[in-house]
């Protein structure tokens, strides 16, 4: 028991250290990105990927970042193995994926509302670039990316469940996240922060489950 307690304390310190170190780096990246490279990258993507066929392909890829399907599937897995088959590990895995996506999604929605950033298309259509704080309109909720958050939370939670496929998880997450920039639905900093919020949320959730004795691995 004492060894487990010490391990949990050390793990909590590592997570806290990761957050303390990474947060100011991400904030600095966002500030620099807003002034220096978000707009140039968006302009470049808009010119290079203006072809309808290419854009359609990336739009289809970006749909993998829609949360609804994953939330329904993970909820079904949780309920099935919790009440029908009664397999604790599988039930916990479904719960972990569901909470990772949903909790990070709630945080993303809150940040979107607070910052109210114009999407890239608003710049190309009306030359609008910047923030209109406390907005709910879709065209003014670019920051951060919900699709990026969803796929990052999903892939990281799957990594914690079965780490041997880590390369596949990373490739899927990267392709879906970057597709949001290529089709000009988001700026680069939007997808970076969306992924970051998901990663920190999932990491903290994993830490909480470990402390609570809820296993997600065989």
């Amino acid at each position: 028991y004492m060894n487990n307690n010490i391990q949990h304390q050390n793990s909590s310190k590592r997570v806290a250290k990761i957050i303390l170190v990474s947060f100011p780096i991400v904030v600095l990246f966002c500030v620099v990105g807003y002034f220096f490279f978000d707009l140039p990258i968006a302009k470049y993507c808009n010119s290079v990927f203006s072809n309808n066929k290419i854009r359609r392909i990336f739009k289809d890829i970006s749909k993998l970042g829609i949360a609804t399907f994953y939330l329904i599937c993970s909820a079904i897995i949780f309920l099935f193995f919790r009440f029908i088959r009664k397999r604790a590990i599988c039930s916990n895995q479904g719960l972990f994926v569901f909470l990772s996506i949903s909790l990070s999604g709630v945080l993303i929605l809150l940040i979107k509302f607070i910052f109210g950033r114009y999407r890239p298309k608003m710049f190309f259509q009306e030359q609008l670039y910047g923030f209109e704080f406390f907005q709910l309109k879709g065209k003014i909720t670019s920051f951060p990316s919900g699709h990026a958050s969803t796929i990052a939370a999903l892939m990281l939670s799957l990594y914690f469940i079965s780490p041997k496929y880590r390369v596949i998880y990373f490739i899927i997450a990267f392709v879906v996240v970057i597709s949001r920039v290529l089709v000009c639905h988001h700026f680069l900093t939007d997808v970076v922060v969306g992924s970051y919020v998901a990663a920190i949320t999932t990491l903290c959730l994993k830490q909480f489950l470990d402390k609570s004795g809820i296993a997600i691995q065989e």
Side-chain angles (χ1 to χ4, degrees):
Y1 174 79
M2 288 185 65
N3 287 336
N4 286 338
N5 195 34
I6 292 173
Q7 287 179 351
H8 290 321
Q9 288 179 350
N10 291 336
S11 181
S12 297
K13 289 179 181 178
R14 284 197 300 270
V15 171
K17 188 175 181 179
I18 289 171
I19 295 173
L20 287 173
V21 171
S22 62
F23 182 76
I25 294 174
V26 171
V27 171
L28 178 62
F29 177 83
C30 289
V31 173
V32 174
Y34 176 80
F35 288 105
F36 294 103
F37 58 75
D38 266 353
L39 205 49
I41 290 174
K43 290 178 180 178
Y44 177 79
C45 291
N46 189 56
S47 62
V48 172
F49 300 102
S50 58
N51 182 287
N52 287 334
K53 290 184 180 179
I54 298 175
R55 187 170 288 233
R56 192 177 301 118
I57 291 172
F58 284 119
K59 277 188 176 181
D60 289 339
I61 291 173
S62 73
K63 289 177 182 177
L64 292 173
I66 297 174
T68 309
F69 175 76
Y70 309 124
L71 290 174
I72 292 173
C73 287
S74 57
I76 290 173
I77 290 171
F78 166 70
L79 293 171
F80 179 77
F81 287 106
R82 178 71 172 83
F83 298 106
I84 299 176
R85 286 294 300 273
K86 296 186 184 299
R87 290 188 60 187
I89 293 291
C90 294
S91 173
N92 294 343
Q93 290 171 347
L95 180 63
F96 179 51
V97 172
F98 180 87
L99 290 177
S100 295
I101 296 172
S102 58
L103 291 178
S104 59
V106 169
L107 287 175
I108 291 293
L109 289 174
L110 179 61
I111 299 171
K112 279 178 178 287
F113 169 70
I114 292 172
F115 283 92
R117 187 182 192 182
Y118 287 109
R119 291 184 183 272
K121 68 177 182 179
M122 295 302 293
F123 175 80
F124 299 120
Q125 292 173 359
E126 304 178 33
Q127 296 294 300
L128 293 172
Y129 180 70
F131 299 89
E132 286 284 347
F133 299 102
F134 306 107
Q135 294 289 332
L136 291 174
K137 297 178 182 178
K139 61 185 180 182
I140 321 179
T141 54
S142 186
F143 179 86
S145 169
H147 284 64
S149 171
T150 294
I151 200 67
L154 174 64
M155 292 300 119
L156 186 56
S157 60
L158 291 178
Y159 164 75
F160 282 127
I161 292 170
S162 182
K164 63 180 178 179
Y165 300 112
R166 59 173 68 87
V167 175
I168 295 175
Y169 301 147
F170 175 80
I171 292 173
I172 293 173
F174 178 80
V175 171
V176 175
V177 166
I178 207 66
S179 70
R180 300 298 288 170
V181 178
L182 297 180
V183 298
C184 296
H185 282 196
H186 284 285
F187 295 104
L188 181 60
T189 52
D190 298 340
V191 299
V192 168
V193 174
S195 303
Y196 176 74
V197 170
I200 294 301
T201 303
T202 304
L203 195 60
C204 291
L205 178 60
K206 174 65 165 53
Q207 180 69 29
F208 174 77
L209 294 180
D210 288 343
K211 279 187 175 182
S212 303
I214 301 175
I216 58 171
Q217 284 185 313
E218 298 286 354

